[in-house]
Amino acid sequence: FGDPEAQVIFPMLNEDLSWLLASAATGALPERPVRFRAEPHVGIVLAAGGYPDAVEAGRVISGIDAAASVPGAIVFHAGTSRLDGKLVTSGGRVLTVVGRGATHRDAIDVAYRAASHIHFDGMQFRRDIGRKALVT
């Protein structure tokens, strides 16, 4: 899943990105800095079996509602689609589970706790996400 030395921590927006993009497109950006959240965030990519090579598509995904109900967690879709009324994998990077917390350790714990609710055949993810933020 790439170079673990390349992990970078980015702040999360605390306002609507689509509004900022529309404002930029019309030349009407606010005359203030963009608003970011102060709390640390950690994102874990849940990848399809076979990723990064030939991915296994069409695997039924379960547990997203339970993951999203973990306080401080949000789930972003990337390689998902609907097939016969079920949510299935359709790409290599299937979901990203983001955890927010008062500390980096808290954010890591939230992200992995939320990710533990999600299941699909062949699911894989890194288990070292956020560790570099703990080494200071």
Side-chain angles (χ1 to χ4, degrees), residues 57-74:
R59 309 296 184 178
V60 175
I61 303 168
S62 64
I64 290 181
D65 290 339
S69 71
V70 172
I74 188 168

Side-chain angles (χ1 to χ4, degrees), residues 4-135:
E5 299 300 317
Q7 294 178 30
V8 179
I9 299 168
F10 295 101
M12 291 288 284
L13 280 176
N14 195 25
E15 57 187 308
D16 185 4
L17 175 62
S18 62
W19 177 81
L20 287 170
L21 293 173
S23 297
T26 60
L29 279 172
E31 293 186 22
R32 60 161 175 76
V34 173
R35 295 181 182 127
F36 292 99
R37 296 191 69 103
E39 309 95 344
H41 289 71
V42 171
I44 301 166
V45 173
L46 305 183
Y51 179 82
D53 297 318
V55 299
E56 300 168 0
R59 309 296 184 178
V60 175
I61 303 168
S62 64
I64 290 181
D65 290 339
S69 71
V70 172
I74 188 168
V75 180
F76 293 96
H77 293 248
T80 65
S81 60
R82 290 259 177 216
L83 180 64
D84 298 327
K86 295 181 181 178
L87 187 66
V88 297
T89 62
S90 65
R93 294 178 180 210
V94 178
L95 301 161
T96 299
V97 180
V98 175
R100 180 184 77 236
T103 66
H104 281 96
R105 167 54 54 206
D106 293 339
I108 292 166
D109 291 345
V110 167
Y112 280 104
R113 188 167 56 253
S116 74
H117 293 283
I118 299 174
H119 303 283
F120 54 88
D121 287 344
M123 183 175 87
Q124 56 180 329
F125 59 93
R126 289 180 47 170
R127 289 163 171 75
D128 65 339
I129 300 299
R131 284 189 192 161
K132 289 182 87 177
L134 301 177
V135 181

